[in-house]
Amino acid sequence: MKKLAAQPLYKQVIREVMTAVEAGEWQEDESLPSEIELGVRFGVSQGTVRKALDSLVAEGVLYRRQGVGTFVAGMNDFLARGHFLPLAGADGVAPKIELLGCVRIHAGEQLADILGLRRGAALWQVRRLLRVSGVVIGLEEMLLPEAGFPNLDIRRIRELKGNLRELCWRDFGVRLRDGEVRYRAVAAGQNEARLLMVDLNEPLLQLVRLARDFEGKPQVWSVAWLKTETLAFEPAPFA
Amino acid sequence: MKKLAAQPLYKQVIREVMTAVEAGEWQEDESLPSEIELGVRFGVSQGTVRKALDSLVAEGVLYRRQGVGTFVAGMNDFLARGHFLPLAGADGVAPKIELLGCVRIHAGEQLADILGLRRGAALWQVRRLLRVSGVVIGLEEMLLPEAGFPNLDIRRIRELKGNLRELCWRDFGVRLRDGEVRYRAVAAGQNEARLLMVDLNEPLLQLVRLARDFEGKPQVWSVAWLKTETLAFEPAPFA
DNA sequence: GAGTGGTCTAGACCACTTC
DNA sequence: AAGTGGTCTAGACCACTCG
């Protein structure tokens, strides 16, 4: 491997592996070649491969099992990976996702700015419900450019159990990385109150995120409203 | 360095360095010996020292400046390291902390459990205000066992500008690491409404944390209420 | 036992900052 | 030029899992 663009070798390896993962060279939960073999393939030492894989593991792209191998990780949604915990208690539960619907809308000025589109660009608006042991606990609204995800099919989303992150990857080759989350407390509006079955103006936890792909391009804007009267939200480890 | 307790060398180095930092061997923003020198001191190679320092940097205990050295990081509070961002906008601002007061109370059953104390044990309750450009934006209530922090002095807290984390370290040798955060939305009660100057029942973002020391012992329980009508909260990078 | 990840070394060189 | 962090190698051995 050459020193292109003065990038360190391990960063080049990260890119190469990422590209291969995105190209589907190894399926989900399928093991990659061993660190030594990857080293031979990229012309670097095992230590360098390891350093590269370390960051991909830290980012949740891969996972390792000692003595067994390194595997491609699944693509659970950010919220699906989070935990909902009883206020006083110990163990948390991950929510189940239920697709509500998917419609085509047009970007307002602000949203267009955020997603790097022109004003009025076509967007998909996907809405989902979150349930913990059957009880509705959250509502999520996600917006993604139609240009990048043409012919987004509601039945397809349903097939993947509402897992939009996995869909973006499988059907459109876009691998989303988690973005930073902003937290707010807001009063429930008409919509939220109805869908979450709470009173108007009841406090809801609002999570706002911008998910980017691995090139850093903004891809999905998401706003979620969570009912936290009896359960607190704890985000998943990775940023 | 020996293979005690089957711990890998780099983990032993982490402990050694941590101990030295806690003992105050190097002051804040003072540089540690070079990686090579540390290697000689602990009887390991530079690569192993580096791996150890990597995790301490990731945890925010140390920071590095290429070509210069490795330094002991300051001890800003979790909330003080977070950012408050305008809803639509770009750059966030870190809040200023203002001490409200410090009183001695007794642990209820639940709190005693969490902090690993007996019921009724003496606690310090420290309350602080958070301001962003002068405007009150949050209230934080922290509880810590009197046993671990005897003679906690309000004037001393004030001296350190309300930075309780730094105080725990400097005066009591307890270095707190960030704990996981749980998020909720709650309605403002009497107290919160008065101190934050909002209406009763206005939605507030609640953050609940349990900070532990580097041995994993629970040390500080904290609950914060944040006004997020105009500013969203974004936690600091490190978990 | 064979294959994998996990650790460790000694030594090398590069990139950066400071004097 | 000297000293620091940052990268990289070749080779070694350990710890773990699985057939």
Side-chain angles (χ1 to χ4, degrees), chain B residues 8-10 43-46 48 51 65-68:
Chain B
L9 290 182
Y10 77 93
V44 301
S45 72
Q46 179 255 0
T48 300
K51 178 158 187 173
R65 284 177 53 202
Q66 174 162 10
V68 185

Side-chain angles (χ1 to χ4, degrees), chain B residues 102-104 117 122-126 143-157 164 167-174 217 219-220:
Chain B
C102 170
V103 297
R104 198 165 162 283
L117 305 170
L123 293 177
W124 295 112
Q125 182 199 54
V126 179
L143 294 162
L144 47 171
E146 197 202 25
F149 305 92
N151 304 318
L152 191 69
D153 184 6
I154 189 167
R155 283 168 308 182
R156 181 65 179 141
I157 308 181
L164 199 60
L167 186 140
C168 290
W169 177 38
R170 291 209 199 227
D171 292 8
F172 303 98
V174 175
K217 192 175 158 210
Q219 294 282 5
V220 182

Side-chain angles (χ1 to χ4, degrees), chain A residues 72-140:
Chain A
V72 178
M75 296 284 296
N76 276 332
D77 280 35
F78 174 78
L79 284 176
R81 281 206 320 277
H83 283 85
F84 289 84
L85 302 107
L87 300 186
D91 292 337
V93 189
K96 302 275 182 226
I97 288 176
E98 175 189 330
L99 183 65
L100 270 184
C102 168
V103 297
R104 197 165 163 283
I105 63 171
H106 292 277
E109 187 170 7
Q110 197 170 304
L111 206 49
D113 260 16
I114 292 171
L115 289 171
L117 305 170
R118 66 173 199 294
R119 200 166 161 179
L123 293 177
W124 295 112
Q125 181 199 54
V126 180
R127 303 216 292 174
R128 315 189 299 183
L129 274 188
L130 279 71
R131 288 178 190 272
V132 166
S133 46
V135 181
V136 175
I137 203 161
L139 164 69
E140 190 180 14

Side-chain angles (χ1 to χ4, degrees), chain A residues 8-10 43-46 48 51 65-68:
Chain A
L9 290 181
Y10 77 93
V44 301
S45 70
Q46 180 255 1
T48 301
K51 179 159 186 171
R65 283 178 52 202
Q66 174 161 11
V68 185

Side-chain angles (χ1 to χ4, degrees), chain B residues 29-35 63-71:
Chain B
D29 294 321
E30 184 181 333
S31 84
L32 276 63
S34 73
E35 295 176 348
Y63 64 95
R64 287 197 266 232
R65 284 177 53 202
Q66 174 162 10
V68 185
T70 305
F71 305 82

Side-chain angles (χ1 to χ4, degrees), chain B residues 24-84:
Chain B
E25 183 168 340
W26 313 292
Q27 295 307 306
E28 190 175 312
D29 294 321
E30 184 181 333
S31 84
L32 276 63
S34 73
E35 295 176 348
I36 303 257
E37 284 177 290
L38 286 174
V40 172
R41 165 162 163 186
F42 299 128
V44 301
S45 72
Q46 179 255 0
T48 300
V49 170
R50 187 166 183 78
K51 178 158 187 173
L53 297 190
D54 277 347
S55 32
L56 290 173
V57 168
E59 277 202 273
V61 176
L62 307 175
Y63 64 95
R64 287 197 266 232
R65 284 177 53 202
Q66 174 162 10
V68 185
T70 305
F71 305 82
V72 178
M75 296 283 298
N76 275 332
D77 281 35
F78 174 77
L79 284 175
R81 282 205 319 279
H83 283 87
F84 289 84

Side-chain angles (χ1 to χ4, degrees), chain A residues 10-30:
Chain A
Y10 77 93
K11 288 195 179 173
Q12 296 179 49
V13 173
I14 291 176
R15 286 192 67 86
E16 299 268 2
V17 173
M18 233 3 253
T19 305
V21 168
E22 277 172 349
E25 182 169 339
W26 313 292
Q27 295 306 305
E28 190 175 312
D29 295 321
E30 185 182 332

